[in-house]
């Protein structure tokens, strides 16, 4: 019997050091989401860990989202869903620039 994949109605945020097959598999088996907060270290090791574990969702701050290095991170990690922490009133990035970046990445994630 296969478990049907669907959009979870409940997700949990995990820290980057908790990226493991166990967490990803438990989320899938319970129809919950596993979102990994990589805002503290969106480096190459984290990208590899995401890829190896099969994780597909991350949370990043807007500064990392705007960084050109994100393209390589996404290619290496195979992440397909981004949760972006963006507060227009507090961010140094104009909403127009944010929306332009969203549009540029939308075919990929």
């Amino acid at each position: 019997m296969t478990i049907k994949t669907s959009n979870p109605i409940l997700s949990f945020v995990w820290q980057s050091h908790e990226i493991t097959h166990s967490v990803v598999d438990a989320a899938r088996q319970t129809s919950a989401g596993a979102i990994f907060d990589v805002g503290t270290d969106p480096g190459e090791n984290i990208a590899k860990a995401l890829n190896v574990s099969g994780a597909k969702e991350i949370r990043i701050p807007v500064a990392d989202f705007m960084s050109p290095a994100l393209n390589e991170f996404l290619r290496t990690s195979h992440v397909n869903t981004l949760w972006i922490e963006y507060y227009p009133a507090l961010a140094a990035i104009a909403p127009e620039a944010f929306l332009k970046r969203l549009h540029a990445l939308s075919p990929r994630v």
Side-chain angles (χ1 to χ4, degrees):
M1 175 186 221
T2 59
I3 297 175
K4 192 175 184 179
T5 339
S6 65
N7 292 331
I9 59 169
L10 180 65
S11 292
F12 296 93
V13 177
W14 299 84
Q15 297 302 310
S16 60
H17 68 272
E18 298 172 307
I19 300 170
T20 62
H21 278 292
S22 300
V23 171
V24 173
D25 290 343
R28 286 185 185 133
Q29 291 172 357
T30 60
S31 297
I35 302 167
F36 293 96
D37 183 346
V38 299
T40 57
D41 182 22
E44 185 178 330
N45 291 336
I46 297 297
K48 288 178 183 175
L50 289 163
N51 185 21
V52 169
S53 69
K56 298 295 181 192
E57 298 186 47
I58 61 169
R59 190 220 57 90
I60 58 173
V62 71
D64 291 341
F65 176 70
M66 299 300 288
S67 170
L70 180 64
N71 294 331
E72 180 61 22
F73 180 86
L74 293 174
R75 188 190 66 73
T76 305
S77 67
H78 295 116
V79 165
N80 62 17
T81 303
L82 301 177
W83 294 88
I84 305 154
E85 189 175 336
Y86 178 60
Y87 304 102
L90 302 175
I93 294 147
E96 295 80 15
F98 177 76
L99 292 173
K100 184 177 179 180
R101 180 73 166 148
L102 272 176
H103 182 67
L105 286 175
S106 65
R108 185 175 194 178
V109 292

